[in-house]
């Protein structure tokens, strides 16, 4: 636990505390009365209410649409499965401003739905909810599907032989085993939608605003740092309460599971029910995920062929100090470094948390690990600039600052992906290895690692994908001569002109293709080198 605790203390707790202190402390005195003044304002109460209920609605809708897909990817084998799994994950790494723009092109004025049927949804909350499902679909598919594929199907088959219906067997046997993974996925979706920024900023307009949007507005437009600090504390308190409830409920339902090689649990669809389920999932993926991506590609080619892509190799000396295409290589380098950091930090934390004899202090750190997903990325970005500007941690001019910020978001995904599998490993296997003379390190390498290798690869893929698309904190700390892809897209979108918009869509398409390629490679590695159980 030493390294994870030190990492989150230095690069999360300290920066957040620095920005909150600056906002609530004036002339050496604390202004706690400012908290009451802010939260009692009618417009702030409206923001709090909308933030909460849209996050709950988005989480429920995402689970409803994505859980069938998790089953399909975990249990069924069909042509193009690896490619489709990679495609499903692509929306999650797109910058939220791009997701908002893609849905605006679908449901907004002169959008695809408007052109075909005269339907507009950009003035309703449905556009926000569907965009959130588009963004978080992969979280449920990969987090729940990763554990589902390793559950022994013979347990459910035994219930069927004893007279249970398929639904009853799933509800009484499989669902309780999946509960920790479902809860983890729901928690991540809720945190991402609770702190939604780019999607609400573009699709919500003046009628809808989340806490994250309001924090950004108070910081960058109104320059009221004290109000932003209060809203950050409110967000922090709400997320902390949710994480505490989650840790308590999930811990009560955990149990040792029988895990098997995922390659032995998949089979071709059999019967009308399985074929209908597969067809329904494919149709949902096509309409909800592929259609917005197709609109994105179309916008990158509108009227100019590859002209927007060729323009990426030129530097105008205005928006960027380098050619925009340089952002591709910069993002890949940063994402690889951030993935390495996240896997080490998250892997160590998950290994410590998985121990059955872990004390309350260690188990409490489980909830704290998720806080970076629920605290304003705007706050973290500003906090980096304020807190990490003096020796011995003067990192403002260092390239490592961006990977550190990205790893803060990637590490919780590593923990949440690996923890259910690590806790499901039967402790008697480790005890048997110890009795045979294996050291603790060798027991972990010979017993735990083969079982969690698949989860580790999934976690690495998630961390890499999240790092590629991280925007909220990176936009404040990325150097002008080394912009990441999301930062480059946002800067191009902020400038008027058809060429800038086309280049933004072209960069977004490149980000989409790079992510799909990386995830496809991960799928092949995971399939070929999972190991024996």
């Amino acid at each position: 636990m030493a390294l994870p605790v030190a990492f989150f203390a230095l690069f999360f707790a300290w920066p957040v505390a620095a920005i909150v202190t600056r906002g609530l402390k004036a002339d050496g005195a604390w202004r706690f009365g400012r908290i009451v003044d802010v939260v009692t304002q009618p417009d702030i109460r409206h923001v709090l209410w909308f933030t909460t209920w849209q996050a709950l609605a988005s989480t429920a809708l995402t689970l409803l649409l994505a859980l069938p897909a998790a089953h399909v990817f975990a249990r069924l084998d069909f042509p193009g499965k690896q490619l489709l799994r990679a495609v499903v994950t692509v929306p999650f790494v797109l910058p939220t401003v791009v997701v908002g723009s893609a849905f605006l092109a679908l449901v907004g004025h002169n959008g695809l739905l408007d052109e075909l049927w005269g339907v507009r949804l950009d003035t309703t909350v449905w556009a926000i909810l569907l965009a959130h499902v588009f963004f978080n679909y992969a979280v449920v598919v990969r987090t729940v599907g990763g554990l589902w594929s390793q559950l022994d199907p013979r347990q459910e088959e035994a219930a069927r032989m004893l007279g249970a219906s398929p639904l009853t067997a799933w509800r009484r046997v499989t669902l309780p085993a999946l509960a920790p993974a479902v809860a983890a996925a729901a928690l991540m979706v809720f945190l991402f939608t609770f702190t939604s920024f780019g999607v609400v900023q573009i699709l919500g307009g003046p009628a809808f605003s989340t806490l994250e949007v309001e924090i950004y507005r108070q910081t960058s437009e109104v320059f009221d740092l004290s109000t932003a600090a209060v809203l950050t504390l409110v967000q922090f308190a709400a997320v902390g309460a949710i994480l505490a409830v989650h840790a308590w409920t999930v811990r009560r339902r955990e149990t040792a599971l029988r895990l098997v090689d995922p390659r032995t649990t998949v089979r071709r669809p059999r019967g009308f029910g399985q074929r209908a389920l597969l067809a329904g999932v494919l149709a949902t993926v096509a309409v909800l995920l592929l259609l917005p991506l197709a609109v994105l590609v179309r916008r990158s080619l509108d009227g100019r062929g590859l002209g927007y892509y060729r323009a990426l190799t030129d530097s105008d000396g205005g928006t960027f100090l380098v050619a925009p295409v340089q952002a591709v290589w910069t993002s890949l380098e940063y994402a690889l470094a951030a993935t390495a950091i996240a896997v080490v930090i998250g892997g160590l934390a998950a290994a410590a948390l998985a121990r059955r004899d872990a004390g309350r202090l260690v188990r409490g750190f489980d909830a704290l690990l998720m806080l970076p997903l629920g605290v304003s990325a705007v706050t973290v970005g500003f906090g980096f600039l304020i807190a990490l500007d003096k020796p011995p941690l003067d990192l403002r001019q260092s390239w490592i600052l961006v990977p550190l910020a990205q790893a803060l978001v990637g590490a919780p995904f590593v923990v949440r992906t690996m923890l259910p599998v690590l806790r499901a490993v039967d402790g008697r296997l480790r005890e048997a290895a110890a009795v045979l003379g294996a050291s603790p390190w060798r027991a972990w390498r010979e017993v735990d690692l083969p079982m969690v290798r698949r989860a580790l690869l999934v976690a690495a893929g998630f961390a890499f994908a999240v790092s590629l698309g991280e925007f909220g904190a990176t936009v404040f700390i990325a150097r002008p001569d080394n912009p990441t892809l999301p930062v480059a897209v946002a800067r191009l979108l902020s400038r008027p002109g058809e060429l800038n918009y086309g280049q933004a869509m072209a960069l977004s398409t490149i980000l989409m293709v790079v992510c799909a390629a990386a995830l496809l490679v991960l799928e092949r590695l995971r399939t070929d080198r999972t190991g024996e159980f």
Side-chain angles (χ1 to χ4, degrees):
M1 290 298 297
L3 189 58
V5 168
F7 178 81
F8 280 92
L10 287 176
F11 302 114
F12 175 69
W14 186 15
V16 171
I19 194 70
V20 171
T21 300
R22 180 163 295 193
L24 292 181
K25 198 172 184 180
D27 299 326
W30 290 95
R31 298 185 298 169
F32 293 112
R34 181 63 178 159
I35 298 178
V36 178
D37 295 337
V38 171
V39 297
T40 55
Q41 296 176 13
D43 55 337
I44 298 299
R45 290 203 304 268
H46 176 74
V47 169
L48 291 172
W49 167 244
F50 175 75
T51 300
T52 302
W53 85 258
Q54 66 83 24
L56 291 172
S58 297
T59 302
L61 189 60
T62 303
L63 290 174
L64 178 66
L65 294 177
L67 280 177
H71 170 76
V72 165
F73 282 107
R75 295 300 198 203
L76 301 183
D77 187 24
F78 52 91
K81 179 180 176 179
Q82 293 180 10
L83 176 62
L84 188 62
R85 194 198 302 267
V87 170
V88 164
T89 311
V90 169
F92 185 71
V93 303
L94 292 177
T96 53
V97 291
V98 176
V99 174
S101 299
F103 268 81
L104 195 63
L106 275 178
V107 303
H109 180 62
N110 293 328
L112 186 61
L113 295 183
D114 194 13
E115 292 176 358
L116 294 178
W117 299 294
V119 176
R120 290 184 57 186
L121 298 176
D122 57 320
T123 57
T124 70
V125 74
W126 280 106
I128 296 174
L129 298 182
L130 290 175
H132 283 161
V133 176
F134 169 86
F135 186 76
N136 294 291
Y137 193 86
V139 175
V140 178
V141 170
R142 299 185 76 95
T143 303
V144 179
L147 179 59
W148 205 335
S149 65
Q150 293 180 268
L151 294 181
D152 191 346
R154 290 175 295 182
Q155 299 180 57
E156 188 171 326
E157 293 169 0
R160 295 283 306 280
M161 292 180 64
L162 293 173
S165 65
L167 180 60
T168 300
W170 179 83
R171 181 172 56 86
R172 299 290 296 273
V173 177
T174 304
L175 184 58
L178 289 175
V182 173
L187 175 67
M188 286 188 284
V189 173
F190 182 86
L191 290 180
F192 272 110
T193 52
F194 190 79
T195 59
S196 182
F197 174 61
V199 169
V200 179
Q201 180 83 344
I202 294 176
L203 297 177
F208 304 109
S209 178
T210 59
L211 273 173
E212 187 82 356
V213 174
E214 190 64 21
I215 290 172
Y216 177 81
R217 190 179 73 86
Q218 295 291 338
T219 303
S220 302
E221 298 178 10
V222 184
F223 304 108
D224 187 350
L225 197 57
S226 64
T227 298
V230 170
L231 295 180
T232 297
L233 288 176
V234 171
Q235 191 179 60
F236 192 87
V239 170
I242 294 166
L243 292 176
V245 173
H246 168 267
W248 181 74
T249 55
V250 170
R251 188 76 183 181
R252 286 170 60 90
R253 302 192 65 176
E254 286 172 349
T255 183
L257 306 175
R258 175 178 172 81
L259 301 183
V260 297
D261 188 337
R263 293 173 294 184
T264 66
T265 64
V266 296
R267 61 188 180 186
R268 292 285 184 175
R270 295 184 300 183
F272 174 78
Q274 289 187 352
R275 291 189 178 93
L277 178 62
L278 176 60
V281 169
L282 294 178
T284 301
V285 170
V287 173
L288 185 63
L289 304 185
L290 296 183
L291 187 58
L293 297 179
V295 171
L296 186 65
V297 176
R298 177 191 171 191
R299 289 296 181 94
S300 72
L301 299 171
D302 261 358
R304 294 176 61 94
L306 297 177
Y308 292 139
Y309 291 90
R310 286 192 291 268
L312 295 177
T313 60
D314 300 327
S315 177
D316 59 5
T319 306
F320 306 104
L321 300 180
V322 296
V325 73
Q326 182 63 35
V328 177
W329 311 115
T330 301
S331 288
L332 289 175
E333 293 171 354
Y334 285 162
L336 288 173
T339 301
I341 297 172
V343 167
V344 171
I345 298 299
L348 289 174
L353 294 169
R355 293 181 60 89
R356 294 288 172 178
D357 57 351
R360 290 186 178 181
L361 183 61
V362 174
R363 293 198 299 268
F365 190 64
D366 184 10
L368 296 179
L369 287 170
M370 299 299 293
L371 285 178
L373 300 182
V375 173
S376 169
V378 175
T379 301
V380 174
F382 273 125
F384 266 47
L385 296 179
I386 293 174
L388 305 179
D389 64 339
K390 297 177 181 178
L393 281 177
D394 187 1
L395 301 178
R396 287 186 301 174
Q397 302 300 320
S398 174
W399 67 273
I400 197 64
L401 195 61
V402 174
L404 287 173
Q406 294 172 342
L408 274 175
V409 182
F413 280 93
V414 175
V415 175
R416 293 266 69 84
T417 303
M418 294 185 62
L419 196 53
V421 179
L422 282 170
R423 282 177 171 165
V425 175
D426 193 340
R428 291 173 296 180
L429 296 176
R430 302 189 191 99
E431 295 171 1
V435 170
L436 293 174
S439 64
W441 163 248
R442 185 177 180 184
W444 186 89
R445 180 167 54 87
E446 299 290 345
V447 176
D448 293 67
L449 184 58
M451 292 188 175
V452 304
R453 185 179 292 127
R454 183 176 187 271
L456 181 61
L457 288 173
V458 173
F462 255 133
F464 182 78
V466 169
S467 300
L468 276 178
E470 205 287 322
F471 171 71
T474 306
V475 69
F476 296 103
I477 57 180
R479 296 171 57 179
D481 57 341
N482 283 306
T484 63
L485 274 171
V487 172
V489 169
R491 290 179 182 174
L492 287 168
L493 285 175
S494 67
R495 300 185 67 187
E498 179 184 349
L499 178 60
N500 289 317
Y501 182 80
Q503 286 181 300
M505 295 299 102
L507 275 181
S508 300
T509 303
I510 291 174
L511 175 59
M512 176 183 69
V513 172
V514 168
C515 175
L519 293 172
L520 186 58
V521 170
L522 177 67
E523 287 298 320
R524 293 190 179 277
L525 288 173
R526 191 181 70 174
T527 302
D528 296 339
R529 302 179 184 178
T530 299
E532 299 298 329
F533 286 77

